[in-house]
Amino acid sequence: MNDEELKKVVEAGKIGAKAREEGAKLIKEGAKVLDICEAVEKIIIEAGAFPAFPCNLSINSEAAHYSPLIQDEKTIPADAVVKLDIGAHIDGYISDTAVTVSLGSRYEKLLDASKDALKVAIMNSRVGSSIGDIGKMIERTIKMKGYKPIRNLGGHLIRRYELHAGVFIPNIHERNTSFLQEGNTYAIEPFATDGAGFVVEGKQVTIYSVRNVDQKGLSDIEIKYLTEIFKRFNYLPFNERWLKDLGDVNEIRSILSSLTKKGRLYGYPVLIEARGGVVSQFEHTIYIGKDKSIVTTDVNDS
């Protein structure tokens, strides 16, 4: 990564951190999920970046992938544990960050479990660090607090226009011979729960990304949508709200469903803790430099 590319990575991190901090303040009982997410996405755009994926606002046993739909009426319930997961990108250079807000005092220790696990993982992330060892540290920290790490969620390598770029950073100890490499950017995101320790896919899909741009066998309107989606988002995730100018809500949903069934789009189901346990998540993006690692989404580092 050259200096200009690194500058974009760092700036995207600063903007992601700003949106995370300001967005967390909006999470209150009775607030509309739609209003919060659109405000967060607006913060990112007005700061000079674009959302790297739709704002996720996942509540209680929802671990990830809930992003509000057009005219969504969902609100934050009392005593909720809310995960705000957001990303920003500049010219495809991405930051990915998350915070959990608890509206009651019952789950403070659960939040501490994932927050402390993130701190330990970051402290031990440098050139040559074992990915398996990072997972072991995350698992140990969460279990010491009396909770379970979510074993089928974790961090990931980030590349330009590619949010999940193949390398998985587990939240549990796994046999893993991979190491953090100089010049790479990673998201580290410990999830903790008082439930079963793994997530399952729910029925609802609120986020999509392009899987295949082949137009063969598509109708004219499907080609129109697929072309415009790829032009706007490349392979980054998007939400139906970002397509409101293309048609009415019923048409948009019909086309997204059709393109998914035909293998042109991938749909991300809302992920739910298997036993209905409450989930907490904290996440930072870290750039692995030769002499120093930069936590791009830490307001005190980047």
Side-chain angles (χ1 to χ4, degrees), residues 20-32:
R20 181 194 66 226
E21 296 302 299
E22 295 188 18
K25 298 174 184 176
L26 302 176
I27 297 173
K28 303 178 189 298
E29 180 182 345
K32 290 179 67 172

Side-chain angles (χ1 to χ4, degrees), residues 233-280:
F233 313 121
N234 202 291
Y235 289 104
L236 293 176
F238 65 93
N239 176 279
E240 66 173 43
R241 292 181 288 112
W242 297 357
L243 303 175
K244 286 190 294 185
D245 60 313
L246 296 184
D248 65 42
V249 62
N250 291 327
E251 177 183 281
I252 293 168
R253 289 176 182 172
S254 174
I255 298 301
L256 293 180
S257 176
S258 178
L259 288 173
T260 302
K261 289 176 182 177
K262 293 181 178 182
R264 302 322 196 269
L265 300 181
Y266 177 81
Y268 298 84
V270 176
L271 300 177
I272 302 169
E273 213 288 325
R275 289 185 190 160
V278 174
V279 178
S280 70

